[in-house]
mmCIF file of all heavy atoms in Angstrom:
data_model
loop_
_atom_site.group_PDB
_atom_site.id
_atom_site.type_symbol
_atom_site.label_atom_id
_atom_site.label_comp_id
_atom_site.label_asym_id
_atom_site.label_seq_id
_atom_site.Cartn_x
_atom_site.Cartn_y
_atom_site.Cartn_z
ATOM 1 N N PRO C 17 133.105 175.392 54.149
ATOM 2 C CA PRO C 17 134.383 174.676 54.207
ATOM 3 C C PRO C 17 134.694 174.183 55.612
ATOM 4 O O PRO C 17 135.179 173.066 55.785
ATOM 5 C CB PRO C 17 135.371 175.712 53.761
ATOM 6 C CG PRO C 17 134.569 176.598 52.788
ATOM 7 C CD PRO C 17 133.192 176.716 53.417
ATOM 8 N N LEU C 30 134.760 157.186 61.063
ATOM 9 C CA LEU C 30 133.827 156.206 60.636
ATOM 10 C C LEU C 30 134.526 155.042 59.874
ATOM 11 O O LEU C 30 134.274 153.855 60.107
ATOM 12 C CB LEU C 30 132.721 156.815 59.744
ATOM 13 C CG LEU C 30 131.640 155.879 59.236
ATOM 14 C CD1 LEU C 30 130.760 155.325 60.331
ATOM 15 C CD2 LEU C 30 130.771 156.625 58.213
ATOM 16 N N VAL C 31 135.352 155.493 58.933
ATOM 17 C CA VAL C 31 136.105 154.468 58.090
ATOM 18 C C VAL C 31 137.056 153.673 59.033
ATOM 19 O O VAL C 31 137.171 152.432 58.764
ATOM 20 C CB VAL C 31 136.867 155.183 56.960
ATOM 21 C CG1 VAL C 31 137.766 154.183 56.209
ATOM 22 C CG2 VAL C 31 135.861 155.776 56.039
ATOM 23 N N SER C 35 134.413 155.626 65.215
ATOM 24 C CA SER C 35 133.239 156.581 65.418
ATOM 25 C C SER C 35 132.328 156.045 66.524
ATOM 26 O O SER C 35 132.169 154.813 66.717
ATOM 27 C CB SER C 35 132.438 156.638 64.084
ATOM 28 O OG SER C 35 131.297 157.547 64.250
ATOM 29 N N ALA C 58 132.812 162.321 49.397
ATOM 30 C CA ALA C 58 132.345 161.207 48.624
ATOM 31 C C ALA C 58 133.346 160.059 48.711
ATOM 32 O O ALA C 58 132.949 158.846 48.774
ATOM 33 C CB ALA C 58 132.153 161.570 47.164
ATOM 34 N N ARG C 60 135.192 159.321 51.252
ATOM 35 C CA ARG C 60 134.996 158.668 52.536
ATOM 36 C C ARG C 60 133.769 157.671 52.567
ATOM 37 O O ARG C 60 133.814 156.669 53.173
ATOM 38 C CB ARG C 60 134.983 159.681 53.653
ATOM 39 C CG ARG C 60 136.325 160.324 53.910
ATOM 40 C CD ARG C 60 136.233 161.621 54.725
ATOM 41 N NE ARG C 60 137.566 162.121 55.142
ATOM 42 C CZ ARG C 60 138.385 162.795 54.358
ATOM 43 N NH1 ARG C 60 138.050 163.046 53.050
ATOM 44 N NH2 ARG C 60 139.573 163.252 54.776
ATOM 45 N N PRO C 68 135.001 145.808 55.356
ATOM 46 C CA PRO C 68 134.448 144.492 55.530
ATOM 47 C C PRO C 68 133.142 144.407 56.367
ATOM 48 O O PRO C 68 132.265 143.587 56.158
ATOM 49 C CB PRO C 68 135.529 143.697 56.231
ATOM 50 C CG PRO C 68 136.810 144.415 55.899
ATOM 51 C CD PRO C 68 136.413 145.866 55.785
ATOM 52 N N ALA C 72 126.959 144.429 56.948
ATOM 53 C CA ALA C 72 126.110 144.135 58.078
ATOM 54 C C ALA C 72 125.451 145.414 58.589
ATOM 55 O O ALA C 72 124.643 145.320 59.536
ATOM 56 C CB ALA C 72 126.898 143.505 59.193
ATOM 57 N N ALA C 78 122.996 151.096 66.934
ATOM 58 C CA ALA C 78 122.897 151.930 68.119
ATOM 59 C C ALA C 78 122.472 153.369 67.716
ATOM 60 O O ALA C 78 122.720 153.779 66.587
ATOM 61 C CB ALA C 78 124.182 151.982 68.888
ATOM 62 N N ALA C 105 101.349 142.989 75.783
ATOM 63 C CA ALA C 105 100.477 142.037 76.508
ATOM 64 C C ALA C 105 99.273 141.665 75.697
ATOM 65 O O ALA C 105 98.731 140.561 75.853
ATOM 66 C CB ALA C 105 100.038 142.650 77.800
ATOM 67 N N ILE C 118 112.167 139.701 73.653
ATOM 68 C CA ILE C 118 113.236 139.490 72.668
ATOM 69 C C ILE C 118 114.534 140.159 73.058
ATOM 70 O O ILE C 118 115.630 139.732 72.875
ATOM 71 C CB ILE C 118 112.844 139.833 71.220
ATOM 72 C CG1 ILE C 118 113.868 139.263 70.258
ATOM 73 C CG2 ILE C 118 112.611 141.265 71.060
ATOM 74 C CD1 ILE C 118 113.876 137.756 70.102
ATOM 75 N N TYR C 126 121.896 140.654 66.586
ATOM 76 C CA TYR C 126 120.947 139.565 66.131
ATOM 77 C C TYR C 126 119.690 140.218 65.645
ATOM 78 O O TYR C 126 119.097 139.824 64.622
ATOM 79 C CB TYR C 126 120.665 138.599 67.310
ATOM 80 C CG TYR C 126 119.642 137.550 66.954
ATOM 81 C CD1 TYR C 126 120.091 136.293 66.542
ATOM 82 C CD2 TYR C 126 118.257 137.804 67.037
ATOM 83 C CE1 TYR C 126 119.089 135.309 66.188
ATOM 84 C CE2 TYR C 126 117.362 136.830 66.682
ATOM 85 C CZ TYR C 126 117.753 135.571 66.310
ATOM 86 O OH TYR C 126 116.823 134.636 66.005
ATOM 87 N N ASP C 151 107.464 109.505 46.386
ATOM 88 C CA ASP C 151 106.328 109.234 45.557
ATOM 89 C C ASP C 151 105.957 110.408 44.636
ATOM 90 O O ASP C 151 104.938 110.435 44.048
ATOM 91 C CB ASP C 151 105.207 108.743 46.369
ATOM 92 C CG ASP C 151 104.654 109.818 47.308
ATOM 93 O OD1 ASP C 151 105.183 111.002 47.239
ATOM 94 O OD2 ASP C 151 103.705 109.560 48.100
ATOM 95 N N GLU C 154 104.524 116.577 47.212
ATOM 96 C CA GLU C 154 105.186 117.565 47.876
ATOM 97 C C GLU C 154 104.496 117.951 49.189
ATOM 98 O O GLU C 154 103.223 117.957 49.195
ATOM 99 C CB GLU C 154 105.488 118.806 47.024
ATOM 100 C CG GLU C 154 106.357 118.530 45.858
ATOM 101 C CD GLU C 154 106.804 119.862 45.139
ATOM 102 O OE1 GLU C 154 106.252 120.901 45.481
ATOM 103 O OE2 GLU C 154 107.626 119.686 44.218
ATOM 104 N N THR C 163 114.636 115.503 63.234
ATOM 105 C CA THR C 163 115.559 114.504 63.862
ATOM 106 C C THR C 163 116.233 113.642 62.786
ATOM 107 O O THR C 163 115.820 113.765 61.539
ATOM 108 C CB THR C 163 114.756 113.514 64.797
ATOM 109 O OG1 THR C 163 113.966 112.676 63.950
ATOM 110 C CG2 THR C 163 113.838 114.322 65.723
ATOM 111 N N ASN C 176 100.058 118.919 62.192
ATOM 112 C CA ASN C 176 101.476 118.446 62.056
ATOM 113 C C ASN C 176 101.483 117.197 61.278
ATOM 114 O O ASN C 176 100.592 116.293 61.408
ATOM 115 C CB ASN C 176 102.092 118.199 63.429
ATOM 116 C CG ASN C 176 102.483 119.471 64.126
ATOM 117 O OD1 ASN C 176 102.465 120.548 63.530
ATOM 118 N ND2 ASN C 176 102.834 119.395 65.406
ATOM 119 N N ILE C 193 109.189 133.827 56.049
ATOM 120 C CA ILE C 193 108.198 134.507 55.206
ATOM 121 C C ILE C 193 108.291 136.040 55.436
ATOM 122 O O ILE C 193 107.567 136.771 54.738
ATOM 123 C CB ILE C 193 106.725 134.042 55.588
ATOM 124 C CG1 ILE C 193 106.469 134.344 57.069
ATOM 125 C CG2 ILE C 193 106.583 132.548 55.324
ATOM 126 C CD1 ILE C 193 104.989 134.085 57.441
ATOM 127 N N ALA C 214 115.322 145.924 71.313
ATOM 128 C CA ALA C 214 116.258 145.642 72.335
ATOM 129 C C ALA C 214 115.779 146.062 73.751
ATOM 130 O O ALA C 214 116.257 145.513 74.779
ATOM 131 C CB ALA C 214 117.582 146.425 72.052
ATOM 132 N N SER C 215 114.778 146.899 73.796
ATOM 133 C CA SER C 215 114.186 147.349 75.042
ATOM 134 C C SER C 215 113.169 146.375 75.596
ATOM 135 O O SER C 215 112.710 146.455 76.782
ATOM 136 C CB SER C 215 113.609 148.692 74.913
ATOM 137 O OG SER C 215 112.330 148.658 74.255
ATOM 138 N N GLY C 218 110.305 142.100 78.711
ATOM 139 C CA GLY C 218 109.199 141.597 79.544
ATOM 140 C C GLY C 218 108.785 142.655 80.574
ATOM 141 O O GLY C 218 109.404 143.723 80.668
#
Side-chain angles (χ1 to χ4, degrees):
L30 180 67
V31 173
S35 180
R60 287 163 172 81
I118 193 67
Y126 178 95
D151 64 5
E154 295 190 354
T163 70
N176 284 348
I193 62 172
S215 76

